[in-house]
Amino acid sequence: FVNKLKDLIPSGGSAGGVGFSFDLQVLPSGITAELTIGLPNVTVGVFSLQNMAFIMRLTIPFDGRPFSAYFAFCTRENPFRLTVMVFAGGGFFGIEINPSGVIMLEAAFEFGGNFAFDIGIASGGASVMAGVYYKLETKTVDGKDVKQSTLEAYFRLSGNLSILGLIHVTLTFELKLTWQDNGKLWGTATIEVEIEILFFSFSVGVTVERQLKGSDSDPTFKDMLPMPAMWTEYCNSFA
């Protein structure tokens, strides 16, 4: 897989169908230069590899912080897509370093399937993906550098339906379970529905989050109701 990507990267100054973009920002806080190399799609029979890109970014702050460099293969918002028949997968990888070492590392990989249909008067498709995301970053707390890890498992279901090109319906459901090394564990469920009818469109979204496990610093049940009389009053309110 890596050797195949190496063959797609141009050499000798020839782009070979590869897209380049360069962005330079000069702000009072510092200078940021970013280079993005978009690779062409690869299709061999039922095998398809799409949406590939390399990102390189250099940040030079003016506030005394050390410079940092970021390297990535695709991004979390735009991961690469690997498709074999109806099965699909994807992911990305990124790392940020400075003279003191790694200050951020993140990666995600997912697997699932895509299905599409077209019966003339109606067309659409559905996608089911499950994956895992990991992030390790260094944060400054009370003047000290502290490493924090985040691990996230997710399930995403999306579908779309078009009727005669006049009515379009899109549904997205995502369920995430997130864990941090400080002992916190919480789940998030999100559902979004978007409907377009001729020139009118509207969307509705709902997100629910529940913490399943907290750290020792979180208040306990006893902290919330320290006196028996308070518990009795609470129970009587539902009587």
Side-chain angles (χ1 to χ4, degrees):
F1 175 75
V2 175
N3 288 333
K4 185 61 179 179
L5 295 178
K6 175 179 64 66
D7 297 336
L8 296 174
I9 300 176
S11 60
S14 175
V18 178
F20 291 87
S21 66
F22 179 76
D23 180 63
L24 178 64
Q25 294 185 359
V26 180
L27 302 173
S29 58
I31 298 177
T32 300
E34 181 175 306
L35 174 67
T36 301
I37 304 175
L39 304 181
N41 297 333
V42 178
T43 302
V44 181
V46 297
F47 174 90
S48 177
L49 192 59
Q50 302 172 319
N51 199 36
M52 297 179 293
F54 285 104
I55 299 99
M56 289 155 281
R57 182 172 65 241
L58 180 65
T59 302
I60 303 177
F62 295 153
D63 55 4
R65 293 178 295 128
F67 75 90
S68 63
Y70 177 78
F71 305 93
F73 176 60
C74 301
T75 64
R76 190 178 187 183
E77 295 75 19
N78 293 291
F80 72 86
R81 291 300 178 192
L82 173 63
T83 304
V84 181
M85 300 180 67
V86 298
F87 301 102
F92 82 100
F93 172 82
I95 183 172
E96 185 176 5
I97 61 175
N98 64 13
S100 62
V102 177
I103 58 177
M104 193 276 293
L105 183 148
E106 60 178 350
F109 297 97
E110 59 184 20
F111 177 81
N114 290 323
F115 171 76
F117 69 92
D118 188 345
I119 57 176
I121 61 174
S123 62
S127 173
V128 180
M129 304 295 291
V132 60
Y133 167 77
Y134 176 75
K135 183 176 184 180
L136 173 66
E137 59 183 338
T138 301
K139 293 184 176 181
T140 303
V141 180
D142 298 329
K144 297 181 180 179
D145 291 339
V146 179
K147 292 187 178 296
Q148 184 180 78
S149 299
T150 301
L151 181 63
E152 179 181 291
Y154 60 89
F155 170 81
R156 183 171 61 251
L157 172 65
S158 61
N160 62 87
L161 175 65
S162 176
I163 302 176
L164 295 176
L166 303 177
I167 302 176
H168 303 273
V169 180
T170 302
L171 171 67
T172 302
F173 171 76
E174 186 176 45
L175 182 65
K176 297 190 297 183
L177 187 65
T178 306
W179 173 86
Q180 287 186 340
D181 55 7
N182 58 6
K184 292 183 179 292
L185 175 67
W186 68 92
T188 305
T190 302
I191 184 170
E192 296 181 355
V193 179
E194 182 177 357
I195 300 177
E196 297 183 10
I197 303 177
L198 294 178
F199 304 105
F200 303 95
S201 66
F202 63 92
S203 60
V204 179
V206 178
T207 299
V208 178
E209 183 174 292
R210 293 290 184 270
Q211 184 167 325
L212 307 178
K213 186 179 184 301
S215 64
D216 295 336
S217 60
D218 290 333
T220 63
F221 182 79
K222 184 178 180 180
D223 295 330
M224 300 299 295
L225 299 172
M227 301 176 61
M230 298 176 62
W231 171 244
T232 303
E233 182 181 359
Y234 175 80
C235 294
N236 291 336
S237 63
F238 294 95

